[in-house]
Amino acid sequence: MDELDTLVESSRNAFAQAQTPAELENAKAQFLGKSGQITALMKGMAALTVEEKKTRGAAINAAKQAIEACLAERRQALADAALARQLQAEALDVTLPYHLRSTGGLHPVMRAQERIEAIFSSMGFDVADGPEIETDWYSFTALNNPPNHPARSMQDTFYVDLKDADGLPLNLRPHTSPMQVRYARAHARKYAGQAHMPDIRVIAPGRTYRVDSDATHSPMFHQFEGLWIGENVSFKDLKVMYLDFAQAFFESRALQLRFRPSYFPFTEPSAEIDIMFEHGPLAGRWLEVSGSGQVHPQVVRNMGLDPERYIGFAFGSGIDRLAMLRYGVNDLRLFFEGDLRFLSQFQ
Ligand code: DAH
């Protein structure tokens, strides 16, 4: 091996030692730089004859090219290694199992409520919202409750430590029925003095409160109040409307309704609405879903309307009750315990 071959070999070794591009540039300078060995060899040719210069020059050039080739090879090797390291470091295993971040969902009672709202909206009813902390007048008096009616008692109704304008304690509304009167009064005011008042058709869903707690009663529960008042609205309209609603809500025509005589101070006559499914686990049993009745003339008067001219019906249904029947839940308390194992089944 001559001196030039040895030089190429030692450049190859020096380049192989370099582990980074900066180290490689330093190693390159030893061979190809201004004061590198190739340059020194070139300078050493000054004393040679023209003939000798030709052969020697060609040999040095060949060595220089071989060293450049070694350099290029090592550069490429270092770049490949850097890329391989980066790929390794940033590797993604797309086959790994992943955890879906849950986006949450509507509570089953809210799902039922939204369903009820959609169905009644489609039947031309307005959907109204009202206060959960009520005055004595709206919760009881306006609804024709006598002053000593048991619903007013502390055993049945939660009271708030604040008094209304009449000096009576405010209550957590024990039903959504106050919304009948609130909505109807606003409607009557709006059309006061006009020859014609459009019918009042509204539902008012929301939270209600009673001193009660067991498998079918919760101190906080949900109702929706319905009201339809006009010049010629009858019990027949209530029956047709409620059957339409029940069939839409339960997505079934295989059910029957029964209007069972009952008593409420704010309706006369009054009826409980029972439902019976013809199929499924509850088939054949009458289940109570709503109170209802023809609005009492005194209540119509309290709405600011003339009971000689306006008549109609009202109803108040349990939303939790309807949700239990629709989803096959047998204990009301499950809705309010916040257990995700239960709640996530409805998403
Ligand atoms: N407010 C009654 C209750 O909570 C339900 C009810 C019955 C509402 C008859 C009505 C009705 O509007 O006409 O038990």
Side-chain angles (χ1 to χ4, degrees):
M1 205 189 268
D2 77 5
E3 165 211 15
L4 288 175
D5 290 337
T6 311
L7 185 60
V8 172
E9 229 10 75
S10 66
S11 82
R12 187 192 303 282
N13 289 336
F15 296 159
Q17 301 280 316
Q19 296 304 319
T20 65
E23 283 172 23
L24 187 59
E25 291 315 303
N26 281 339
K28 169 192 165 187
Q30 286 173 40
F31 299 93
L32 303 172
K34 270 192 204 127
S35 44
Q37 301 195 43
I38 290 289
T39 315
L41 290 173
M42 295 285 204
K43 284 179 184 155
M45 291 198 306
L48 301 181
T49 64
V50 174
E51 266 320 294
E52 284 171 334
K53 272 182 184 162
K54 264 192 192 161
T55 35
R56 180 69 176 156
I60 293 175
N61 253 331
K64 186 185 174 195
Q65 279 169 19
I67 292 171
E68 280 170 347
C70 288
L71 178 68
E73 199 182 301
R74 183 63 185 151
R75 268 198 191 126
Q76 190 59 51
L78 284 180
D80 287 351
L83 181 63
R85 268 198 309 279
Q86 187 184 357
L87 287 176
Q88 173 70 35
E90 296 174 4
L92 277 183
D93 183 350
V94 294
T95 68
L96 276 177
Y98 60 101
H99 293 288
L100 254 193
R101 183 175 292 207
S102 155
T103 51
L106 271 189
H107 189 279
V109 171
M110 280 304 124
R111 288 173 84 92
Q113 179 173 322
E114 292 199 346
R115 195 173 167 77
I116 290 163
E117 291 176 7
I119 294 167
F120 276 96
S121 295
S122 79
M123 298 197 292
F125 280 67
D126 195 8
V127 177
D129 208 7
E132 291 174 28
I133 298 179
E134 261 300 2
T135 64
D136 192 82
W137 193 79
Y138 276 110
S139 280
F140 303 113
T141 310
L143 294 165
N144 204 32
N145 281 83
N148 48 8
H149 191 277
R152 276 191 152 104
S153 83
M154 302 272 285
Q155 278 78 42
D156 286 333
T157 299
F158 289 109
Y159 284 92
V160 176
D161 244 353
L162 287 171
K163 292 196 164 47
D164 63 21
D166 299 325
L168 294 168
L170 294 169
N171 58 76
L172 294 186
R173 64 177 181 189
H175 51 184
T176 44
S177 301
M179 275 306 292
Q180 285 184 28
V181 184
R182 284 187 176 276
Y183 188 92
R185 284 171 74 86
H187 189 92
R189 261 200 310 278
K190 188 167 162 193
Y191 293 97
Q194 298 193 21
H196 178 71
M197 180 186 86
D199 283 7
I200 299 170
R201 287 154 71 93
V202 65
I203 62 159
R207 281 184 283 268
T208 46
Y209 304 86
R210 273 182 218 173
V211 185
D212 220 350
S213 187
D214 59 40
T216 51
H217 297 90
S218 155
M220 188 283 298
F221 57 108
H222 300 79
Q223 282 191 337
F224 68 100
E225 194 71 13
L227 181 68
W228 185 353
I229 298 268
E231 293 191 14
N232 194 18
V233 181
S234 78
F235 230 94
K236 178 191 70 188
D237 299 304
L238 168 62
K239 289 179 120 174
V240 170
M241 182 225 67
Y242 211 90
L243 183 62
D244 277 352
F245 160 69
Q247 289 180 343
F249 184 80
F250 291 108
E251 296 175 273
S252 167
R253 288 185 178 272
L255 54 82
Q256 293 173 34
L257 293 187
R258 175 173 82 175
F259 286 75
R260 181 163 42 85
S262 184
Y263 171 79
F264 297 101
F266 31 93
T267 44
E268 182 58 38
S270 306
E272 301 285 355
I273 306 177
D274 298 337
I275 191 168
M276 186 183 72
F277 299 101
E278 291 169 5
H279 310 299
L282 296 168
R285 282 164 50 195
W286 286 107
L287 309 154
E288 186 180 314
V289 288
S290 187
S292 69
Q294 183 174 300
V295 181
H296 193 287
Q298 183 55 43
V299 177
V300 175
R301 206 169 288 122
N302 292 338
M303 290 171 172
L305 297 170
D306 176 5
E308 295 297 328
R309 182 168 175 192
Y310 293 104
I311 191 167
F313 60 78
F315 55 93
S317 311
I319 299 177
D320 320 278
R321 201 77 218 288
L322 289 168
M324 284 171 81
L325 294 176
R326 178 167 162 85
Y327 297 122
V329 173
N330 55 15
D331 191 329
L332 175 67
R333 290 170 292 201
L334 285 168
F335 281 144
F336 306 125
E337 283 169 351
D339 187 332
L340 285 176
R341 289 170 303 178
F342 171 74
L343 295 174
S344 60
Q345 294 177 65
F346 300 89
Q347 303 316 317

